[in-house]
Amino acid sequence: MVFSWLNLLAKFGFSDVTGIDYSPSAIQLSQNMIEKEGLSNIKLKVEDFLNPSTKLSGFHICIDKGTFDVISLNPDNAIEKRKQYVESLSRVLKVKGFFLITSCNWTKEELLDEFSEGFELFEELPTPKFSFGGQSGNSVAALVFQKT
């Protein structure tokens, strides 16, 4: 849901926060929660991130917690949809802007490959580790990229 990250950012003092979702009902639910919390510094927009409007641009930071995963699972041309996602991200994010992604479907190495064009790894965020059969790893990848 759009609201959780927006709420956190607004409460930490960010003053110009925008959330998007392709679902008008998700936006309406988030809008109701924002009004209930009295957070007037959050804007919500119905947007298809694979085909964003020209109004969706100039962001310093973009955060994704699951959207890339969902797009990647699309049975209708997932490879092309992932490329569209990266192109859209490049259009909406300012040069030197940051992109934070949390994924439960992709490893760090896979995400580095997916975002290799136009982005460089800035930092890997710590996530819980697990061990199984003598191997250890992460069940979630959380990376910060910077647009080049």
Side-chain angles (χ1 to χ4, degrees):
M1 177 187 293
V2 160
F3 178 70
S4 59
W5 273 106
L6 302 177
N7 184 25
L8 183 64
L9 291 169
K11 287 186 176 181
F12 273 108
F14 286 85
S15 59
D16 187 13
V17 179
T18 302
I20 67 166
D21 200 297
Y22 69 93
S23 168
S25 59
I27 292 294
Q28 185 57 55
L29 178 61
S30 294
Q31 185 64 49
N32 293 343
M33 296 171 82
I34 287 168
E35 288 171 7
K36 192 178 199 180
E37 294 281 326
L39 299 170
S40 60
N41 53 341
I42 298 175
K43 293 177 283 229
L44 299 175
K45 298 179 181 185
V46 176
E47 287 276 353
D48 173 2
F49 193 69
L50 295 182
N51 298 295
S53 69
T54 56
K55 294 177 184 176
L56 197 66
S57 66
F59 290 94
H60 297 283
I61 301 171
C62 291
I63 301 172
D64 181 319
K65 187 178 177 277
T67 302
F68 187 72
D69 287 349
V70 170
I71 289 168
S72 300
L73 297 173
N74 188 325
D76 184 31
N77 205 357
I79 293 170
E80 184 59 34
K81 302 266 191 230
R82 291 194 313 264
K83 287 180 184 177
Q84 274 183 273
Y85 179 99
V86 175
E87 289 169 6
S88 294
L89 179 62
S90 189
R91 277 197 308 266
V92 303
L93 194 61
K94 288 185 173 195
V95 173
K96 298 291 184 192
F98 293 99
F99 169 57
L100 290 73
I101 183 167
T102 304
S103 175
C104 59
N105 291 350
W106 296 87
T107 65
K108 172 188 176 182
E109 291 73 22
E110 291 169 327
L111 289 170
L112 288 171
D113 187 52
E114 289 291 323
F115 293 94
S116 63
E117 201 166 309
F119 297 90
E120 61 185 26
L121 180 64
F122 184 79
E123 188 169 342
E124 180 178 7
L125 302 174
T127 59
K129 295 194 181 302
F130 71 94
S131 294
F132 181 77
Q135 299 289 326
S136 65
N138 298 67
S139 58
V140 175
L143 304 177
V144 179
F145 289 94
Q146 188 168 31
K147 183 178 173 184
T148 55

